[in-house]
């Protein structure tokens, strides 16, 4: 397998020389924007019908295509936008900037696709792009539109616990997903303990999910890449939108700083759960319960060759309680926050060579606190505890796109990231105890670097190759790790609208998430690879078929995959990340002493039928999969089903425009039950107790539970129907929308957890559920 991949690499690097030797060529390049806002559009298809070749815009809306003389017609198409056809002479290099009109603003216009829109023409396997407009139409818990809840509806992506926004992709854990917002890595994607994600759909321009066949420009994770791009801001006029829901409100404003040259975007969201429950509490009780987030971006166009972008995100969750009385005061809580910042400079060296330089900051902090004060003999006694954990990144990244000729694209670049980890820092102060100033603030610093190269090559309009490699280096704890990661994706179009695809990806992950719950809570710890903890590693192969039904505007894909994972880590049984039972022991705390290392494997088949445009849009997805793990310190070293292993997953998503003013939408999901460990019996081992009174026997019997094999049982199947209806009306100065939603419409009691309880001397298993049918209502305006 490896020899075959290396042979492909050689062919990729030699092929351009024969391409350059062809007859004289001209280059057409430019930027593609949204009409009315000036927003640059990534992923737009550019197609030359006479040549039957094309390209797509990069993340910054730039395209370049080099073709022989004589081809005059060019198609520009993008899902949700009206196709533009341009006739031009091709006797000299040309700069053609294009504006596309949004399909949502032209409902009476048929949105026509071209050959380059077809999924069968896309080299990338295991890749899905979800239109943001669809995300906003899909029903959601309490009306909160959520990017990650939408991703859970895609084949190959599994949800965590009921209502949570975490994702498990092809057998991997939450830490194995690379989540990128404007080039910045986001380490915790959860609001409200995972019931919502931190990404505000009003500020997002595009969402792309890669599950396998990873391009070489991505690295550092094993299972998936979720790449999101924020809106740039309207360069032509001031516009915005706002909404009020049951638990939160949001507001977005964008507009030009200098018309057609620079713009800004500000988008904010905050809950008011604390304000809603405050009237139900006494005056002495003050709840702390909220989250908020803020997205901001500015950009400046210094001309055709240079553009500058500054963007950032900041969000915080805080939950706690306060009691204030005359002789005592108490407060306790938890908060976590994310902050990212990105400065990007686009430079166009020529009409064939595009470059981007990024300076990136990312910071995640978790804090748990408790303060207690009380009067004793008219003297205030104080106790405080504070636990901190987090990770901070500083990165420098450089990427280049080179378009030597039609059908050939080279991507190359480098990135270096300085990580600073704080796995555990505990401070306890007690005026009545010698434990005061217990402190452990050990920081772990590491450096992660990589260089990569990708080659995208089309041969005779039938065979497409995306091959490349990534060379990575990681240093921490005086230990150096060097890894070579080959990547290869193939696409062979054996029929007009049907292609066969295959891919191979070698991935390494140098950061780990220590979790004793497996559901991605904020209390989980980010830790680095060290001299004792090796990097995680995976190999994944996948193959499938893609078919386009052009007249019906449908695409159908079926893919199979097999993935192995090594050096995945977890807590030892019974380990406690806080060590609050014995704060004194935290002085010598080393998280590595509480870890175990294992391996995993996952395999399955995924199918998807999708329609992105038209009055009726949506998709049907099905996944048949298996996920196993093995740790020497668990289950006697035997393989066991992973907690997120579910045999079947089905999702049906439908969005129907009943009229220009009314839209109906609904989702139905079904999945097999999660694996969990269920007790299989109890026994009474004989033991001695030296502390028992001499009035009793020197021996007695205590109950011990036998849990048997790890994850030996299955929860009940999960299924749920969500519905919503939107009513739009164009007012004089704004578009008004009322949305009514119903989560879990038929109120199915889905299992959240099980408990064994004794009832009249007999142990019975009780199921606890979380959400019945929950209605929602929201009011939104767009101006």
């Amino acid at each position: 397998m490896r020899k075959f991949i290396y042979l492909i690499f050689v062919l990729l690097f030699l092929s351009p020389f024969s391409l350059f030797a062809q007859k004289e060529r001209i280059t057409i390049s430019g930027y593609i924007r949204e009409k009315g806002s000036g927003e640059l559009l990534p992923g737009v298809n550019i197609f030359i019908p006479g040549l039957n070749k094309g390209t797509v815009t990069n993340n910054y809306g730039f395209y370049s295509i080099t073709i022989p003389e004589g081809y005059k017609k060019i198609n520009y198409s993008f899902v949700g936008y009206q196709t533009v056809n341009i006739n031009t002479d091709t006797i000299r290099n040309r700069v053609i900037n294009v504006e596309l009109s949004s399909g949502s603003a032209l409902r009476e216009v048929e949105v026509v696709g071209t050959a380059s829109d077809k999924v069968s023409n896309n080299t990338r396997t295991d890749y899905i792009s979800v239109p943001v407009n669809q995300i906003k139409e899909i029903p959601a818990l309490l009306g909160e539109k959520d990017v990650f809840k939408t991703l859970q509806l895609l084949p190959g992506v599994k949800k965590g616990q009921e209502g949570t926004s975490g994702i498990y992709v092809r057998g991997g854990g939450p830490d194995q997903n690379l989540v990128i917002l404007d080039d910045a890595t986001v380490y915790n994607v959860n609001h409200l303990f995972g019931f919502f994600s931190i990404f505000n759909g009003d500020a997002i321009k595009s969402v792309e999910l890669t599950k396998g066949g990873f391009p070489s420009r991505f690295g550092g994770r094993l299972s998936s890449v979720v790449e999101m791009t924020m809106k740039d801001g309207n360069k032509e006029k001031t516009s915005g939108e706002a909404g009020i829901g049951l638990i939160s409100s949001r507001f977005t404003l964008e507009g030009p700083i200098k018309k057609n040259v620079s713009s800004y975007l500000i988008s904010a969201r905050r809950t008011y759960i604390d304000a809603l429950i405050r009237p139900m509490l006494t005056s002495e009780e003050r709840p702390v319960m909220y989250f908020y987030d803020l997205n901001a971006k500015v950009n400046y166009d210094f001309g055709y060759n240079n553009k500058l972008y500054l963007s950032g995100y900041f969000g915080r969750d805080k939950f706690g309680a306060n009691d204030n009385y005359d002789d005592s005061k108490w407060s306790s809580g938890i908060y976590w926050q994310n902050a990212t910042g990105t400065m990007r400079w686009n430079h166009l060296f020529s009409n064939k060579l595009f470059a981007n330089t990024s300076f990136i900051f990312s910071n995640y902090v978790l804090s748990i606190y408790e303060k207690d004060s009380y009067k004793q003999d008219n003297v205030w006694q104080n106790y405080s505890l504070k636990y901190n954990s987090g990770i901070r990144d500083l990165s420098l990244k450089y990427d280049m796109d080179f378009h030597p000729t039609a059908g050939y694209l080279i991507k190359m670049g480098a990135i270096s990231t300085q990580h600073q980890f704080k796995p555990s820092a505990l401070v306890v102060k007690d005026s009545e105890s010698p434990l005061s100033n217990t402190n452990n603030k050990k920081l772990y610093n590491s450096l992660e670097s990589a260089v990569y190269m990708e080659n995208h090559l089309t041969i005779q309009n039938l065979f497409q190759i995306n091959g490349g490699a990534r060379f990575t280096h990681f240093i921490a704890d005086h230990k150096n790790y060097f890894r070579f990661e080959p990547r290869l994706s193939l696409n062979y179009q054996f029929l007009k609208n049907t292609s066969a695809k295959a891919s191979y990806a070698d991935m390494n992950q140098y950061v780990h998430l220590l979790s004793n719950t497996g559901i991605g809570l904020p209390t989980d710890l980010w830790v680095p690879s060290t001299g004792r903890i090796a990097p995680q590693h995976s190999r994944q192969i996948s193959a499938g078929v893609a078919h386009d039904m052009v007249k019906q505007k449908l695409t159908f894909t079926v893919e199979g995959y097999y993935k192995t994972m090594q050096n995945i880590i977890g807590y030892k049984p019974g380990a406690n990340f806080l060590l609050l039972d014995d704060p004194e022991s935290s002085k010598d705390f080393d998280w590595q002493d509480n870890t175990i290392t294992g391996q995993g494997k996952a395999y399955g088949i995924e199918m998807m039928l999708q329609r992105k445009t038209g009055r009726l849009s949506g998709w049907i997805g099905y996944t048949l999969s298996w996920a196993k793990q093995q740790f020497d310190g668990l289950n006697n070293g035997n393989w066991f089903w992973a907690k997120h292993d579910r045999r079947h997953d089905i999702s049906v998503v439908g969005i129907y425009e009943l009229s220009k003013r009314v839209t109906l939408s609904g989702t139905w999901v079904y999945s097999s039950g999660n694996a969990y460990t269920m007790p299989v019996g109890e026994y009474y081992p004989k033991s001695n107790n030296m502390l028992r009174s001499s009035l009793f026997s020197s021996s007695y019997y205590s109950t011990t539970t036998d849990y048997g094999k790890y994850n030996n049982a299955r929860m009940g199947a999960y299924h749920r129907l969500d519905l919503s209806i939107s009513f739009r009306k164009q007012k004089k100065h704004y578009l008004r929308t009322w949305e009514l939603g119903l989560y879990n419409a038929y109120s199915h009691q889905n299992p959240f957890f099980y408990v064994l309880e004794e009832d009249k001397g007999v142990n019975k298993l009780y199921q606890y559920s979380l959400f019945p049918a929950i209605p929602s209502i929201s009011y939104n305006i767009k101006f």
Side-chain angles (χ1 to χ4, degrees):
M1 182 69 179
R2 283 178 171 264
K3 291 182 179 179
F4 172 72
I5 293 173
Y6 294 150
L7 176 61
I8 294 293
F9 291 156
V10 173
L11 293 175
L12 284 170
F13 285 103
L14 292 180
S15 296
F17 295 101
S18 61
L19 293 171
F20 296 149
Q22 298 178 20
K23 65 179 182 178
E24 185 176 353
R25 295 170 174 269
I26 58 96
T27 298
I28 298 173
S29 62
Y31 289 91
I32 299 182
R33 294 177 169 85
E34 181 182 56
K35 188 174 183 179
S37 70
E39 189 84 33
L40 293 169
L41 298 176
V44 176
N45 295 284
I46 299 92
F47 187 67
I48 314 293
L51 189 60
N52 200 29
K53 287 190 176 182
T55 187
V56 296
T57 57
N58 64 12
N59 284 348
Y60 306 95
F62 175 78
Y63 76 96
S64 174
I65 186 167
T66 301
I67 59 177
E69 296 179 0
Y71 298 95
K72 296 183 178 180
K73 188 175 182 180
I74 308 173
N75 293 333
Y76 298 85
S77 64
F78 192 40
V79 173
Y81 289 79
Q82 186 181 13
T83 295
V84 171
N85 299 310
I86 292 180
N87 292 308
T88 183
D89 66 87
T90 56
I91 59 175
R92 58 188 173 87
N93 293 341
R94 297 289 299 271
V95 173
I96 302 179
N97 297 318
V98 177
E99 290 188 333
L100 298 183
S101 298
S102 172
S104 60
L106 298 169
R107 296 185 183 274
E108 71 281 2
V109 176
E110 179 78 8
V111 181
V112 180
T114 67
S116 57
D117 288 319
K118 298 177 182 177
V119 67
S120 58
N121 281 352
N122 194 329
T123 313
R124 294 177 64 179
T125 61
D126 319 301
Y127 161 82
I128 303 175
S129 174
V130 183
V132 174
N133 287 338
Q134 280 192 346
I135 294 175
K136 290 186 175 183
E137 296 287 355
I138 293 174
L141 175 64
L142 295 172
E144 291 294 312
K145 305 303 182 182
D146 196 310
V147 172
F148 270 63
K149 291 287 183 64
T150 302
L151 295 179
Q152 290 177 354
L153 300 172
L154 299 175
V157 182
K158 299 181 185 294
K159 63 179 179 61
Q161 293 286 80
E162 159 79 10
T164 60
S165 59
I167 60 174
Y168 298 78
V169 181
R170 292 186 170 178
D175 64 318
Q176 295 177 357
N177 306 308
L178 178 62
V179 182
I180 304 172
L181 180 64
D182 273 6
D183 274 350
T185 301
V186 180
Y187 284 95
N188 189 301
V189 301
N190 297 324
H191 274 319
L192 197 62
F193 296 98
F195 289 113
F196 306 105
S197 77
I198 66 174
F199 302 107
N200 184 350
D202 294 343
I204 302 298
K205 176 165 59 176
S206 65
V207 179
E208 297 179 346
L209 170 69
T210 303
K211 302 175 291 181
F214 301 96
S216 300
R217 61 185 179 274
F218 296 125
R221 298 295 188 275
L222 301 189
S223 293
S224 77
V225 177
V226 181
E227 187 178 19
M228 288 170 287
T229 304
M230 286 173 53
K231 294 179 180 177
D232 298 330
N234 197 318
K235 286 188 176 180
E236 299 185 12
K237 62 181 180 180
T238 299
S239 62
E241 51 188 309
I244 300 176
L246 288 179
I247 65 168
S248 73
S249 294
R250 66 187 193 280
F251 179 76
T252 300
L253 186 67
E254 57 183 316
I257 299 173
K258 184 177 181 180
K259 192 171 182 179
N260 296 322
V261 175
S262 60
S263 62
Y264 69 90
L265 169 79
I266 298 175
S267 184
R269 176 175 57 164
R270 192 195 191 279
T271 60
Y272 29 74
I273 304 174
D274 47 350
L276 293 176
I277 66 174
R278 188 172 291 129
M280 296 179 283
L281 303 175
T282 64
S283 58
E284 291 82 9
E285 297 173 319
R286 291 185 300 165
V288 180
M289 188 178 299
Y290 66 85
F291 71 76
Y292 67 86
D293 45 49
L294 174 69
N295 295 77
K297 191 171 185 176
V298 296
N299 67 89
Y300 195 92
D301 192 338
F302 290 93
Y304 183 73
N305 293 332
N306 293 282
K307 293 177 173 57
L308 185 67
Y309 301 85
L310 294 172
S311 61
Y313 166 85
F314 184 81
R316 170 179 279 200
D317 285 69
K318 189 168 184 178
F319 299 90
N322 300 282
D323 284 336
N324 289 313
Y325 299 94
D326 293 337
D327 57 353
S328 66
K329 296 178 181 180
W330 173 83
S331 64
S332 178
I334 176 175
Y335 72 83
W336 63 94
Q337 63 188 37
N338 287 280
T340 70
T342 307
M343 181 175 70
R344 293 180 290 179
W345 170 42
N346 293 173
H347 179 66
L348 197 61
F349 287 97
S350 70
N351 55 11
K352 295 184 179 182
L353 184 59
F354 178 94
N356 176 71
T357 305
S358 299
F359 297 92
I360 307 164
F361 168 80
S362 179
N363 190 44
Y364 168 66
V365 174
L366 162 72
S367 183
I368 300 173
Y369 65 91
E370 181 181 355
K371 296 180 181 179
D372 191 6
S373 300
Y374 58 93
K375 277 187 179 181
Q376 185 177 16
D377 299 328
N378 291 324
V379 178
W380 283 95
Q381 303 294 332
N382 299 301
Y383 170 86
S384 68
L385 176 149
K386 189 171 184 179
Y387 170 87
N388 289 297
S389 178
I391 177 173
R392 188 212 66 193
D393 286 357
L394 295 173
S395 303
L396 174 62
K397 185 169 179 277
Y398 189 73
D399 302 285
M400 299 179 71
D401 293 354
F402 179 46
H403 305 258
T405 187
Y408 188 65
L409 167 64
I410 299 174
K411 288 178 174 284
M412 65 190 81
I415 183 172
S416 186
T417 301
Q418 193 266 336
H419 301 288
Q420 185 178 88
F421 299 84
K422 186 189 291 184
S424 179
L426 179 65
V427 179
V428 178
K429 296 182 180 180
D430 191 341
S431 58
E432 289 192 324
S433 170
L435 293 179
S436 299
N437 300 318
T438 300
N439 199 346
N440 177 35
K441 290 187 177 181
K442 183 176 180 180
L443 300 177
Y444 292 81
N445 292 293
S446 62
L447 183 67
E448 181 178 354
S449 303
V451 294
Y452 74 88
M453 188 173 187
E454 293 179 29
N455 294 266
H456 303 253
L457 181 64
T458 301
I459 302 174
Q460 296 182 348
N461 304 323
L462 296 175
F463 193 58
Q464 298 178 45
I465 305 173
N466 180 354
R470 185 178 181 93
F471 183 77
T472 62
H473 170 240
F474 186 84
I475 180 172
D477 197 25
H478 306 291
K479 175 71 174 180
N480 285 277
Y481 292 100
F482 296 91
R483 296 289 187 269
F484 177 70
E485 303 175 6
R487 315 282 178 81
L488 180 64
S489 295
L490 307 174
N491 182 29
Y492 176 62
Q493 191 164 2
F494 59 90
L495 294 175
K496 183 179 180 180
N497 296 313
T498 308
S499 65
K501 301 185 179 188
S503 68
Y504 171 84
D506 202 305
M507 307 287 282
N508 289 280
Q509 179 170 331
Y510 298 102
V511 298
H512 315 264
L513 188 66
L514 267 176
S515 172
N516 50 16
T517 63
I519 61 175
L521 291 178
T523 52
D524 298 339
L525 308 181
W526 284 100
V527 294
S529 297
T530 65
R532 293 170 56 184
I533 305 296
Q536 300 180 60
H537 175 250
S538 74
R539 291 191 178 97
Q540 182 178 171
I541 57 173
S542 62
V545 175
H547 177 66
D548 291 282
M549 292 167 269
V550 179
K551 290 183 179 180
Q552 296 82 8
K553 302 178 185 176
L554 292 169
T555 63
F556 175 74
T557 58
V558 55
E559 296 171 348
Y561 68 91
Y562 184 86
K563 179 169 66 173
T564 60
M565 297 167 282
Q566 291 79 39
N567 300 323
I568 58 177
I569 70 170
Y571 276 115
K572 289 180 179 178
N576 184 347
F577 77 100
L578 277 176
L579 295 177
L580 295 185
D581 294 335
D582 185 8
E584 186 67 21
S585 66
S586 67
K587 290 181 178 179
D588 302 316
F589 171 72
D590 189 340
W591 58 269
Q592 298 176 91
D593 296 332
N594 283 336
T595 62
I596 54 177
T597 303
Q599 57 184 323
K601 57 184 175 183
Y603 45 94
I605 299 174
E606 303 163 1
M607 290 182 280
M608 185 175 187
L609 180 68
Q610 185 177 28
R611 196 172 197 256
K612 291 186 178 181
T613 62
R615 291 183 65 183
L616 176 63
S617 62
W619 64 85
I620 300 173
Y622 171 69
T623 305
L624 173 66
S625 62
W626 293 261
K628 292 183 175 181
Q629 295 178 343
Q630 185 272 327
F631 293 86
D632 290 340
L634 288 178
N635 200 42
N636 295 319
N638 297 316
W639 285 87
F640 58 88
W641 298 115
K643 182 176 182 179
H644 50 274
D645 171 74
R646 291 196 290 269
R647 199 66 61 243
H648 305 280
D649 266 287
I650 303 172
S651 60
V652 181
V653 179
I655 302 168
Y656 181 66
E657 285 194 13
L658 192 63
S659 68
K660 294 181 180 180
R661 296 180 58 179
V662 181
T663 299
L664 304 174
S665 60
T667 63
W668 183 77
V669 295
Y670 172 91
S671 64
S672 305
N674 284 350
Y676 77 103
T677 305
M678 180 179 177
V680 296
E682 291 182 343
Y683 60 95
Y684 302 90
K686 188 176 181 180
S687 61
N688 293 320
N689 187 349
M690 301 300 295
L691 299 179
R692 290 180 59 85
S693 169
S694 60
L695 296 175
F696 299 92
S697 171
S698 61
S699 64
Y700 74 104
Y701 294 88
S702 62
T703 302
T704 299
T705 302
D706 180 9
Y707 286 92
K709 294 182 179 180
Y710 200 73
N711 285 349
N712 58 3
R714 294 279 173 174
M715 291 185 173
Y718 181 100
H719 53 91
R720 189 189 79 240
L721 174 68
D722 303 334
L723 300 170
S724 74
I725 182 169
S726 300
F727 301 94
R728 292 181 297 272
K729 187 173 183 179
Q730 183 63 55
K731 299 288 189 176
K732 185 176 181 180
H733 299 294
Y734 61 91
L735 176 67
R736 182 267 294 156
T737 303
W738 282 100
E739 182 173 338
L740 305 176
L742 185 60
Y743 179 89
N744 195 7
Y746 51 81
S747 196
H748 180 248
Q749 299 299 300
N750 288 299
F752 189 67
F753 63 88
Y754 293 98
V755 173
L756 271 176
E757 296 181 357
E758 186 176 339
D759 182 13
K760 297 179 180 180
V762 178
N763 283 332
K764 293 184 178 181
L765 186 66
Y766 290 89
Q767 172 185 301
Y768 287 83
S769 302
L770 198 59
F771 294 120
I774 300 178
S776 64
I777 183 171
S778 63
Y779 177 80
N780 307 282
I781 62 171
K782 189 173 183 179
F783 55 90

